[in-house]
């Protein structure tokens, strides 16, 4: 079974600065996907970024980028130029892409990020 | 932009009662999911559904739970006899064509069991 661990329960950052959220995972699979989802106070889960394990290049979406280290099973999220609207709970998630996968997402415990003005 | 919708936003029920949580996935999506999040805890997978049958379910998804796609648009989660520990936020999600496509989540239904 896969596990996802987020070791930082809470983080804070000043507006316009950069912050990195950590995530590690454990799997015996070779083909999988990793995600970061954002959950603002409204509670809706919003996709931030997605990484395919077979791609060596780190995914980037505007101010959001990841550092994917497959050998270390590490998948951190970097938020540049933090904005007040980035305040939310951030979840790291794993999805097996193998033949028996039906899209089950396994989530980490979440990191509460607060952006201060 | 199309969205996944869920109703009601908040459901309060008495222990032992049946509840049905409703979801309308994005119209051309083929795979459907339910997750739950007990307050302060991680999001947990319940069930995946494709081609009118369950593809995968978790240990949480016992005989008290069932899912159905009664028509071409709705996707429902039924809890037959609610327990206090069923109190949680329930999220529906859908993906477009493949199970490994990105999942789009609805806003959730908060279920409170008294």
């Amino acid at each position: 079974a896969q596990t996802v661990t987020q070791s930082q329960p809470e983080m804070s950052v000043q507006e316009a600065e950069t912050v990195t959220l950590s995530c590690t995972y454990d799997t015996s699979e070779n083909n999988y996907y990793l995600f970061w989802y954002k959950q603002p106070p409204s509670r809706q889960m919003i996709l931030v970024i997605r990484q395919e394990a077979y791609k060596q290049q780190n995914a980037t979406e505007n101010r959001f980028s990841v550092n994917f280290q497959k050998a270390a099973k590490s998948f951190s999220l970097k938020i540049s130029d933090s904005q007040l609207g980035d305040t939310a709970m951030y979840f790291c998630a794993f999805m097996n892409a193998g033949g028996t996968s039906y899209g089950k997402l396994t989530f980490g415990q979440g990191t509460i990020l607060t952006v201060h003005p | 932009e199309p969205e996944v919708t869920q109703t009601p936003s908040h459901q309060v029920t008495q222990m032992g009662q049946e509840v049905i949580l409703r979801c309308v996935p994005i119209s051309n999506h083929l795979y459907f999911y339910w997750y739950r999040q007990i307050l302060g805890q991680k999001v947990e997978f319940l069930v995946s559904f494709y081609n009118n049958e369950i593809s995968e379910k978790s240990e949480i998804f016992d005989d008290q739970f069932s899912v159905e796609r009664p028509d071409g648009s709705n996707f429902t989660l039924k809890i037959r006899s609610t327990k206090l520990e069923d109190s949680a936020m329930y999220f529906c999600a859908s993906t477009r064509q493949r199970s490994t496509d990105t999942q789009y989540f609805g806003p959730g239904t908060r279920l409170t069991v008294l």
Side-chain angles (χ1 to χ4, degrees), chain B residues 91-103:
Chain B
F91 292 101
C92 172
S94 67
T95 64
R96 189 176 170 194
Q97 283 191 326
R98 300 172 302 171
S99 60
T100 51
D101 287 344
T102 295
Q103 291 181 25

Side-chain angles (χ1 to χ4, degrees), chain A residues 34-68:
Chain A
L34 295 163
F35 304 83
W36 280 97
Y37 278 89
K38 168 184 176 181
Q39 188 181 42
S42 65
R43 303 298 300 274
Q44 180 147 14
M45 301 283 286
I46 302 165
L47 177 70
V48 175
I49 202 163
R50 168 189 170 115
Q51 174 81 43
E52 288 83 3
Y54 64 85
K55 288 186 178 178
Q56 293 194 347
Q57 187 173 5
N58 289 322
T60 300
E61 283 289 340
N62 300 315
R63 298 183 295 107
F64 299 88
S65 61
V66 297
N67 183 5
F68 173 48

Side-chain angles (χ1 to χ4, degrees), chain A residues 95-96 100-105, chain B residues 30-36 44-59 61 65-69 75-77 91-95 98-101 103:
Chain A
M95 179 195 292
N96 181 18
T100 58
S101 169
Y102 297 103
K104 170 186 171 182
L105 283 170
Chain B
L30 300 178
Y31 289 83
F32 313 111
Y33 307 86
W34 283 101
Y35 293 84
R36 81 169 185 191
E44 301 172 290
F45 169 80
L46 291 178
V47 65
S48 60
F49 190 86
Y50 170 72
N51 200 25
N52 280 321
E53 59 183 27
I54 291 174
S55 309
E56 186 177 5
K57 60 184 181 181
S58 71
E59 292 175 354
F61 195 88
F65 291 88
S66 63
V67 289
E68 194 178 34
R69 188 154 162 84
F75 179 51
T76 62
L77 174 68
F91 292 101
C92 172
S94 67
T95 64
R98 300 172 302 171
S99 60
T100 51
D101 287 344
Q103 291 181 25

